[in-house]
């Protein structure tokens, strides 16, 4: 569990690079205790970033724009691995939110075998995505990063 918490914390730090004005979502892909790829939600490289287009303001129009132009963190981490020729089969993906169904299909297709997430997906019911992962032998586990951090802090106090 300590290893999982560490990778979730690293992923969280990477996600701070997201230029989205509403949410900073993050993902890292790990195999044999090594980070192979990472990603955060955002537009494709060299395209206008969310915070440039929306001047730091979140609106309903932003949400619609984001749905059209931004790529989810999970997909960005998968795409980076593919672009760099990095094999990710049998790897673990650490992600902020439980993956949506679209990301789930791509995670399964890429050969990821375990997903560890911190928060529930905020917009939709993910029960079908969880079932799809289970049907394809992908393990999914939730570790609340903030609860885990408090737990670690308590452990280290005793030393």
């Amino acid at each position: 569990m300590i290893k999982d918490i560490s990778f979730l914390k690293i992923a969280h730090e990477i996600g701070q690079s997201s230029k989205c004005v509403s949410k900073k979502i993050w993902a890292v892909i790990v195999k044999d205790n090594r980070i192979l790829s990472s990603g955060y939600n955002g537009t494709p490289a060299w395209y206008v970033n969310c915070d440039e287009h929306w001047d730091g303001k979140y609106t309903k129009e932003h949400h619609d724009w984001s749905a059209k132009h931004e790529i989810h963190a999970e997909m960005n981490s998968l795409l980076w691995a593919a672009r760099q020729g990095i094999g990710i089969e049998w790897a673990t993906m650490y992600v902020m939110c439980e993956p949506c169904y679209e990301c789930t299909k791509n995670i399964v297709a890429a050969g990821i075998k375990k997903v560890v997430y911190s928060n529930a997906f905020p917009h939709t019911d993910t029960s079908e995505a969880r079932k799809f992962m289970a049907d394809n032998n992908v393990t999914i586990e939730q570790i609340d990063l903030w609860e885990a951090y408090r737990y670690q802090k308590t452990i280290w106090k005793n030393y």
Side-chain angles (χ1 to χ4, degrees):
M1 177 153 160
I2 298 294
K3 173 185 73 161
D4 291 331
I5 295 167
S6 295
F7 285 123
L8 283 171
K9 287 179 2 185
I10 290 167
H12 175 263
E13 288 302 315
I14 289 169
Q16 299 315 297
S17 296
S18 171
K19 306 294 188 263
C20 184
V21 300
S22 65
K23 290 183 180 64
K24 297 190 179 294
I25 310 292
W26 34 265
V28 295
I29 299 172
V30 175
K31 187 174 179 181
D32 299 327
N33 292 319
R34 297 204 181 270
I35 296 173
L36 303 178
S37 186
S38 64
Y40 48 82
N41 59 321
T43 57
W46 303 288
Y47 191 74
V48 65
N49 287 312
C50 176
D51 63 354
E52 296 164 335
H53 185 77
W54 289 100
D55 196 28
K57 296 178 184 91
Y58 177 75
T59 63
K60 163 74 168 97
E61 291 79 19
H62 161 266
H63 179 77
D64 296 340
W65 183 90
S66 178
K68 286 182 188 173
H69 295 92
E70 290 190 307
I71 302 167
H72 288 187
E74 300 93 329
M75 280 304 303
N76 265 328
S77 65
L78 295 171
L79 291 167
W80 180 254
R83 285 179 68 179
Q84 299 303 310
I86 300 169
I88 57 172
E89 192 169 26
W90 296 101
T92 298
M93 179 181 281
Y94 294 88
V95 64
M96 178 180 166
C97 295
E98 188 172 7
C100 70
Y101 200 84
E102 282 301 309
C103 287
T104 295
K105 291 187 295 186
N106 292 296
I107 288 167
V108 168
I112 299 290
K113 287 300 172 190
K114 183 177 179 184
V115 174
V116 179
Y117 70 97
S118 181
N119 306 326
F121 190 75
H123 299 297
T124 60
D125 175 16
T126 55
S127 58
E128 286 186 46
R130 268 185 257 121
K131 182 180 178 333
F132 189 76
M133 279 194 244
D135 290 347
N136 286 281
N137 300 313
V138 176
T139 305
I140 186 161
E141 177 182 353
Q142 181 177 17
I143 298 175
D144 184 308
L145 184 57
W146 310 119
E147 285 298 317
Y149 176 73
R150 284 191 283 278
Y151 169 75
Q152 274 189 322
K153 204 171 175 183
T154 303
I155 290 173
W156 287 109
K157 255 188 184 176
N158 297 328
Y159 286 98

